[in-house]
Amino acid sequence: MSEIYFDNGATTKPSDGVIKAMVRTLTEDYGNPSSLHHKGMKAEDYIKEAAENISKALGVEHSTIYFTSGGTESNNLAIKGVAEAYKRRGKHIIATKMEHKSVASPITYLRENYDYEITYLSINETGQINIEELRDAIREDTVLVTIMHVNNEIGAIQNLNEIGLCIKEKNANTLFHVDAIQSFGKLKINPKKSMIDLLSLSGHKFHGPKGAGALYMDKKVRLVSLFHGGGHQRGMRSGTENVSGIAGLGQATVEAMNQIQENMEHMKAIKTYFYDQLIDQIEGAHLNGPSVKDGAPHILSIRFDDVRGEVLLHSLESDNIYVSTGSACSSNRPEEKSPTLAGIGLGRKEIDETIRFSFSKFNTKEEADKVIVTLKALIPRLRMFTRK
């Protein structure tokens, strides 16, 4: 059986165009972008072009784009950088209970080491925050609100326009950071319209390379850098730039933006078809989080009664089908309960029974059919052991 990859929330396959752009920078245009000679300037051109492509996708100026090693660094730079730069203004940060580890951990670090006070917003059964709860939580000393756009486990989409307006109405000085790692390249985002001050993205989530990401930072925002060195990227991120990764990131951005509507409709169609077949043909399958119609086009969280997700994952793997039990970044710590799934009201057993299917532009309806056939054979067999 050929490989079926339904784990695109964890990472995506780099496109041919991305690979081509990266190989070119590794074999021909490999200069150091800080060098003054032609080889260096050629390498620098890739960085300028990538910044131009990302800024165009977001409708912002190219000088507001900073390249990082990926989503974790972008989120850390945004959160710790703001905390340090604005510590005299206040030490209160607001986040949701379902943030990714790359947001949750730096916030915990600030609370434990620098006495920041954190307010965690609750989520309802579909993963939505309550806008009035957010409004009530914002204070005079709130320096930052950080909220993920698309949840990586259940695909809940937050209304950025509504959230941005709420923040600025209550306290114009409070900065708004968006973790857009699961949404950039898949959904349209307009930082100006949504009053977003900082936004994180990562290349490997939309067919770009791993190890390449970016942080958008509005010109009025001040950050204290995490790194000190040669003063690269206007002092915000010292270190010789990852030219091949940045070139791949820029190419992935162009491809994603050129195909965004087409890709969105394709992923939604595959996801909807797969879900309909699943519910129709497999007893005891349940959807977690938002409805198929309201959730992100590429993420589907399903739990199967009396089947451990991890066991099902490995059983599918033996048939060359790749899925996830949730966030890939936490999969090596199964003892930890998912805050997202707990936040929408699932108990320990239900969380353990959950599988995430996540789709890309490369997936097909035929693949969905094959996975359904495999699940129909596997699920009853696995339940026999559980229900003994």
Side-chain angles (χ1 to χ4, degrees):
M1 188 177 183
S2 57
E3 172 185 303
I4 297 177
Y5 188 75
F6 278 4
D7 194 16
N8 293 280
T11 196
T12 52
K13 180 181 179 182
S15 72
D16 291 343
V18 165
I19 294 169
K20 193 175 172 186
M22 295 181 71
V23 168
R24 196 163 56 237
T25 59
L26 290 168
T27 56
E28 299 172 28
D29 304 323
Y30 51 80
N32 186 324
S34 296
S35 296
L36 298 179
H37 49 63
H38 175 73
K39 207 80 174 167
M41 287 189 280
K42 184 69 180 169
E44 191 182 14
D45 285 343
Y46 286 96
I47 297 173
K48 288 178 180 174
E49 187 179 346
E52 197 66 44
N53 292 337
I54 294 170
S55 63
K56 196 179 292 181
L58 292 172
V60 299
E61 295 177 46
H62 71 273
S63 60
T64 58
I65 303 300
Y66 297 87
F67 294 104
T68 66
S69 62
T72 295
E73 186 186 328
S74 295
N75 284 338
N76 271 264
L77 177 58
I79 293 165
K80 291 181 186 171
V82 162
E84 179 64 21
Y86 294 90
K87 60 187 176 186
R88 291 184 182 174
R89 183 183 288 175
K91 285 192 166 185
H92 180 231
I93 293 174
I94 298 172
T96 74
K97 289 181 178 175
M98 62 174 177
E99 296 303 322
H100 186 270
K101 281 271 183 185
S102 60
V103 166
S105 293
I107 289 174
T108 301
Y109 170 82
L110 291 170
R111 187 191 69 208
E112 293 178 349
N113 295 282
Y114 297 97
D115 299 324
Y116 276 78
E117 189 180 347
I118 316 296
T119 298
Y120 294 98
L121 303 174
S122 59
I123 51 173
N124 63 18
E125 67 280 2
T126 61
Q128 296 296 316
I129 67 162
N130 182 319
I131 203 73
E132 290 310 313
E133 184 184 357
L134 169 62
R135 195 185 304 280
D136 291 342
I138 299 170
R139 314 184 314 210
E140 189 65 30
D141 62 341
T142 305
V143 290
L144 181 71
V145 175
T146 176
I147 290 179
M148 71 194 326
H149 186 193
V150 167
N151 180 266
N152 55 311
E153 293 184 68
I154 59 173
I157 305 173
Q158 302 301 326
N159 186 328
L160 298 182
N161 291 347
E162 190 178 37
I163 293 170
L165 182 63
C166 171
I167 294 168
K168 300 303 178 182
E169 278 182 346
K170 186 74 183 285
N171 184 348
N173 290 324
T174 299
L175 298 175
F176 180 24
H177 168 245
V178 172
D179 172 354
I181 290 162
Q182 284 291 349
S183 62
F184 183 84
K186 302 183 183 77
L187 301 178
K188 292 174 182 172
I189 309 171
N190 186 328
K192 296 294 182 189
K193 188 176 177 183
S194 302
M195 302 182 194
I196 297 167
D197 299 295
L198 304 113
L199 181 142
S200 304
L201 61 95
S202 182
H204 75 106
K205 301 294 188 181
F206 56 102
H207 305 290
K210 297 173 186 64
L215 177 69
Y216 156 72
M217 185 175 78
D218 189 276
K219 279 186 170 177
K220 71 174 185 296
V221 178
R222 290 182 291 112
L223 280 192
V224 172
S225 174
L226 302 181
F227 304 114
H228 301 93
H232 303 74
Q233 299 196 64
R234 303 177 291 286
M236 196 53 63
R237 208 278 190 175
S238 286
T240 302
E241 293 90 341
N242 170 14
V243 179
S244 60
I246 292 170
L249 175 64
Q251 177 64 28
T253 300
V254 170
E255 292 175 8
M257 289 303 125
N258 287 343
Q259 306 160 355
I260 192 163
Q261 191 62 34
E262 179 187 339
N263 289 345
M264 194 159 50
E265 289 172 6
H266 177 78
M267 289 187 289
K268 194 94 175 180
I270 298 291
K271 173 183 153 179
T272 304
Y273 175 77
F274 180 71
Y275 174 74
D276 288 344
Q277 298 303 310
L278 197 68
I279 295 302
D280 187 49
Q281 299 188 44
I282 300 177
E283 187 187 345
H286 309 278
L287 174 69
N288 296 327
S291 69
V292 173
K293 174 176 163 289
D294 294 331
H298 61 301
I299 293 176
L300 188 64
S301 177
I302 298 288
R303 67 180 193 278
F304 296 95
D305 288 343
D306 299 325
V307 177
R308 283 182 59 83
E310 191 177 343
V311 174
L312 179 56
L313 179 152
H314 290 302
S315 299
L316 288 169
E317 183 184 10
S318 65
D319 283 313
N320 271 348
I321 297 169
Y322 298 95
V323 299
S324 167
T325 51
S327 171
C329 300
S330 299
S331 60
N332 59 345
R333 295 183 296 276
E335 72 282 1
E336 290 186 13
K337 192 166 73 166
S338 159
T340 298
L341 297 179
I344 63 173
L346 300 191
R348 177 80 255 183
K349 180 175 181 292
E350 293 167 314
I351 292 173
D352 287 344
E353 292 170 346
T354 291
I355 282 284
R356 179 184 68 179
F357 301 94
S358 46
F359 308 93
S360 83
K361 63 180 181 181
F362 295 133
N363 291 129
T364 64
K365 187 180 164 190
E366 288 69 32
E367 288 180 327
D369 284 332
K370 287 178 182 173
V371 176
I372 294 292
V373 168
T374 306
L375 285 170
K376 280 177 70 178
L378 275 176
I379 298 287
R381 208 157 65 220
L382 295 175
R383 280 180 179 149
M384 284 175 64
F385 295 105
T386 311
R387 289 173 173 172
K388 270 184 178 178

PDB file of all heavy atoms in Angstrom, residues 27 38 48 135 155 161 173-174 200 207 218 245 302 309 324 330 338:
ATOM      1  N   THR A  27      23.802  25.245  -3.652  1.00  0.00           N
ATOM      2  CA  THR A  27      24.795  24.816  -4.644  1.00  0.00           C
ATOM      3  C   THR A  27      25.393  25.969  -5.454  1.00  0.00           C
ATOM      4  O   THR A  27      26.518  25.872  -5.932  1.00  0.00           O
ATOM      5  CB  THR A  27      24.157  23.817  -5.627  1.00  0.00           C
ATOM      6  OG1 THR A  27      23.015  24.424  -6.230  1.00  0.00           O
ATOM      7  CG2 THR A  27      23.753  22.536  -4.922  1.00  0.00           C
ATOM      8  N   HIS A  38      29.802  40.224  -4.647  1.00  0.00           N
ATOM      9  CA  HIS A  38      28.621  39.848  -5.425  1.00  0.00           C
ATOM     10  C   HIS A  38      27.927  38.599  -4.874  1.00  0.00           C
ATOM     11  O   HIS A  38      26.692  38.539  -4.832  1.00  0.00           O
ATOM     12  CB  HIS A  38      29.041  39.622  -6.891  1.00  0.00           C
ATOM     13  CG  HIS A  38      27.926  39.117  -7.739  1.00  0.00           C
ATOM     14  ND1 HIS A  38      26.868  39.924  -8.148  1.00  0.00           N
ATOM     15  CD2 HIS A  38      27.671  37.871  -8.240  1.00  0.00           C
ATOM     16  CE1 HIS A  38      26.031  39.196  -8.864  1.00  0.00           C
ATOM     17  NE2 HIS A  38      26.494  37.961  -8.940  1.00  0.00           N
ATOM     18  N   LYS A  48      15.723  39.513   0.890  1.00  0.00           N
ATOM     19  CA  LYS A  48      14.851  40.657   0.571  1.00  0.00           C
ATOM     20  C   LYS A  48      13.587  40.194  -0.145  1.00  0.00           C
ATOM     21  O   LYS A  48      12.485  40.671   0.145  1.00  0.00           O
ATOM     22  CB  LYS A  48      15.612  41.651  -0.316  1.00  0.00           C
ATOM     23  CG  LYS A  48      16.690  42.428   0.413  1.00  0.00           C
ATOM     24  CD  LYS A  48      17.411  43.349  -0.560  1.00  0.00           C
ATOM     25  CE  LYS A  48      18.496  44.155   0.145  1.00  0.00           C
ATOM     26  NZ  LYS A  48      19.311  44.946  -0.809  1.00  0.00           N
ATOM     27  N   ARG A 135     -12.525  40.984  27.467  1.00  0.00           N
ATOM     28  CA  ARG A 135     -12.666  42.409  27.780  1.00  0.00           C
ATOM     29  C   ARG A 135     -12.496  42.652  29.285  1.00  0.00           C
ATOM     30  O   ARG A 135     -11.804  43.580  29.710  1.00  0.00           O
ATOM     31  CB  ARG A 135     -14.041  42.909  27.324  1.00  0.00           C
ATOM     32  CG  ARG A 135     -14.174  44.438  27.263  1.00  0.00           C
ATOM     33  CD  ARG A 135     -15.599  44.847  26.917  1.00  0.00           C
ATOM     34  NE  ARG A 135     -16.069  44.263  25.677  1.00  0.00           N
ATOM     35  CZ  ARG A 135     -15.773  44.726  24.470  1.00  0.00           C
ATOM     36  NH1 ARG A 135     -15.017  45.797  24.352  1.00  0.00           N
ATOM     37  NH2 ARG A 135     -16.229  44.135  23.381  1.00  0.00           N
ATOM     38  N   GLY A 155      -8.595  22.547  15.457  1.00  0.00           N
ATOM     39  CA  GLY A 155      -8.891  23.405  14.304  1.00  0.00           C
ATOM     40  C   GLY A 155      -9.823  24.567  14.582  1.00  0.00           C
ATOM     41  O   GLY A 155     -10.361  25.169  13.644  1.00  0.00           O
ATOM     42  N   ASN A 161     -10.456  39.815  14.086  1.00  0.00           N
ATOM     43  CA  ASN A 161     -10.960  41.193  14.007  1.00  0.00           C
ATOM     44  C   ASN A 161     -11.660  41.590  15.302  1.00  0.00           C
ATOM     45  O   ASN A 161     -11.438  42.679  15.850  1.00  0.00           O
ATOM     46  CB  ASN A 161     -11.936  41.344  12.841  1.00  0.00           C
ATOM     47  CG  ASN A 161     -11.248  41.246  11.504  1.00  0.00           C
ATOM     48  OD1 ASN A 161     -10.018  41.299  11.428  1.00  0.00           O
ATOM     49  ND2 ASN A 161     -12.018  41.098  10.443  1.00  0.00           N
ATOM     50  N   ASN A 173      -2.811  50.547  24.696  1.00  0.00           N
ATOM     51  CA  ASN A 173      -1.383  50.244  24.876  1.00  0.00           C
ATOM     52  C   ASN A 173      -1.087  48.743  24.939  1.00  0.00           C
ATOM     53  O   ASN A 173       0.081  48.338  24.881  1.00  0.00           O
ATOM     54  CB  ASN A 173      -0.874  50.893  26.171  1.00  0.00           C
ATOM     55  CG  ASN A 173      -0.811  52.398  26.043  1.00  0.00           C
ATOM     56  OD1 ASN A 173      -0.496  52.932  24.973  1.00  0.00           O
ATOM     57  ND2 ASN A 173      -1.136  53.101  27.127  1.00  0.00           N
ATOM     58  N   THR A 174      -2.111  47.941  25.104  1.00  0.00           N
ATOM     59  CA  THR A 174      -1.899  46.489  25.166  1.00  0.00           C
ATOM     60  C   THR A 174      -1.572  45.955  23.768  1.00  0.00           C
ATOM     61  O   THR A 174      -2.285  46.238  22.803  1.00  0.00           O
ATOM     62  CB  THR A 174      -3.158  45.785  25.704  1.00  0.00           C
ATOM     63  OG1 THR A 174      -3.417  46.248  27.018  1.00  0.00           O
ATOM     64  CG2 THR A 174      -2.965  44.276  25.739  1.00  0.00           C
ATOM     65  N   SER A 200       3.343  35.358  14.446  1.00  0.00           N
ATOM     66  CA  SER A 200       4.351  34.313  14.223  1.00  0.00           C
ATOM     67  C   SER A 200       3.902  33.354  13.134  1.00  0.00           C
ATOM     68  O   SER A 200       2.722  32.998  13.059  1.00  0.00           O
ATOM     69  CB  SER A 200       4.554  33.505  15.511  1.00  0.00           C
ATOM     70  OG  SER A 200       4.916  34.341  16.586  1.00  0.00           O
ATOM     71  N   HIS A 207       4.233  23.750   3.432  1.00  0.00           N
ATOM     72  CA  HIS A 207       5.050  23.200   2.351  1.00  0.00           C
ATOM     73  C   HIS A 207       6.382  23.909   2.157  1.00  0.00           C
ATOM     74  O   HIS A 207       6.990  23.831   1.096  1.00  0.00           O
ATOM     75  CB  HIS A 207       4.251  23.156   1.036  1.00  0.00           C
ATOM     76  CG  HIS A 207       2.965  22.405   1.171  1.00  0.00           C
ATOM     77  ND1 HIS A 207       2.921  21.043   1.344  1.00  0.00           N
ATOM     78  CD2 HIS A 207       1.671  22.843   1.223  1.00  0.00           C
ATOM     79  CE1 HIS A 207       1.651  20.664   1.478  1.00  0.00           C
ATOM     80  NE2 HIS A 207       0.875  21.735   1.418  1.00  0.00           N
ATOM     81  N   ASP A 218       4.887  45.130  14.121  1.00  0.00           N
ATOM     82  CA  ASP A 218       4.520  46.481  13.728  1.00  0.00           C
ATOM     83  C   ASP A 218       5.623  47.462  14.126  1.00  0.00           C
ATOM     84  O   ASP A 218       6.294  47.272  15.151  1.00  0.00           O
ATOM     85  CB  ASP A 218       3.204  46.879  14.406  1.00  0.00           C
ATOM     86  CG  ASP A 218       2.661  48.186  13.883  1.00  0.00           C
ATOM     87  OD1 ASP A 218       3.105  49.248  14.382  1.00  0.00           O
ATOM     88  OD2 ASP A 218       1.824  48.147  12.976  1.00  0.00           O
ATOM     89  N   GLY A 245      16.881  28.249   3.916  1.00  0.00           N
ATOM     90  CA  GLY A 245      15.587  28.123   4.581  1.00  0.00           C
ATOM     91  C   GLY A 245      14.688  29.315   4.277  1.00  0.00           C
ATOM     92  O   GLY A 245      13.488  29.169   4.023  1.00  0.00           O
ATOM     93  N   ILE A 302     -10.879  13.545  15.980  1.00  0.00           N
ATOM     94  CA  ILE A 302     -11.895  12.494  16.121  1.00  0.00           C
ATOM     95  C   ILE A 302     -11.524  11.582  17.283  1.00  0.00           C
ATOM     96  O   ILE A 302     -10.353  11.261  17.486  1.00  0.00           O
ATOM     97  CB  ILE A 302     -11.965  11.631  14.841  1.00  0.00           C
ATOM     98  CG1 ILE A 302     -12.371  12.480  13.628  1.00  0.00           C
ATOM     99  CG2 ILE A 302     -12.929  10.451  15.028  1.00  0.00           C
ATOM    100  CD1 ILE A 302     -13.819  12.923  13.601  1.00  0.00           C
ATOM    101  N   GLY A 309      -5.961   6.167  21.181  1.00  0.00           N
ATOM    102  CA  GLY A 309      -5.443   6.868  20.008  1.00  0.00           C
ATOM    103  C   GLY A 309      -4.045   6.422  19.627  1.00  0.00           C
ATOM    104  O   GLY A 309      -3.733   6.247  18.440  1.00  0.00           O
ATOM    105  N   SER A 324      -1.820  11.647  13.775  1.00  0.00           N
ATOM    106  CA  SER A 324      -1.256  12.092  15.048  1.00  0.00           C
ATOM    107  C   SER A 324      -2.291  11.937  16.141  1.00  0.00           C
ATOM    108  O   SER A 324      -3.501  11.895  15.865  1.00  0.00           O
ATOM    109  CB  SER A 324      -0.833  13.559  14.909  1.00  0.00           C
ATOM    110  OG  SER A 324      -0.567  14.112  16.174  1.00  0.00           O
ATOM    111  N   SER A 330       4.086  17.639  21.522  1.00  0.00           N
ATOM    112  CA  SER A 330       3.890  17.074  22.860  1.00  0.00           C
ATOM    113  C   SER A 330       3.760  15.564  22.821  1.00  0.00           C
ATOM    114  O   SER A 330       3.494  14.945  23.844  1.00  0.00           O
ATOM    115  CB  SER A 330       2.619  17.664  23.500  1.00  0.00           C
ATOM    116  OG  SER A 330       2.740  19.061  23.624  1.00  0.00           O
ATOM    117  N   SER A 338      -3.753  16.956  27.265  1.00  0.00           N
ATOM    118  CA  SER A 338      -3.881  18.082  26.349  1.00  0.00           C
ATOM    119  C   SER A 338      -4.736  19.180  26.953  1.00  0.00           C
ATOM    120  O   SER A 338      -5.913  18.957  27.252  1.00  0.00           O
ATOM    121  CB  SER A 338      -4.522  17.609  25.043  1.00  0.00           C
ATOM    122  OG  SER A 338      -5.090  18.713  24.360  1.00  0.00           O
TER     123      SER A 338
END
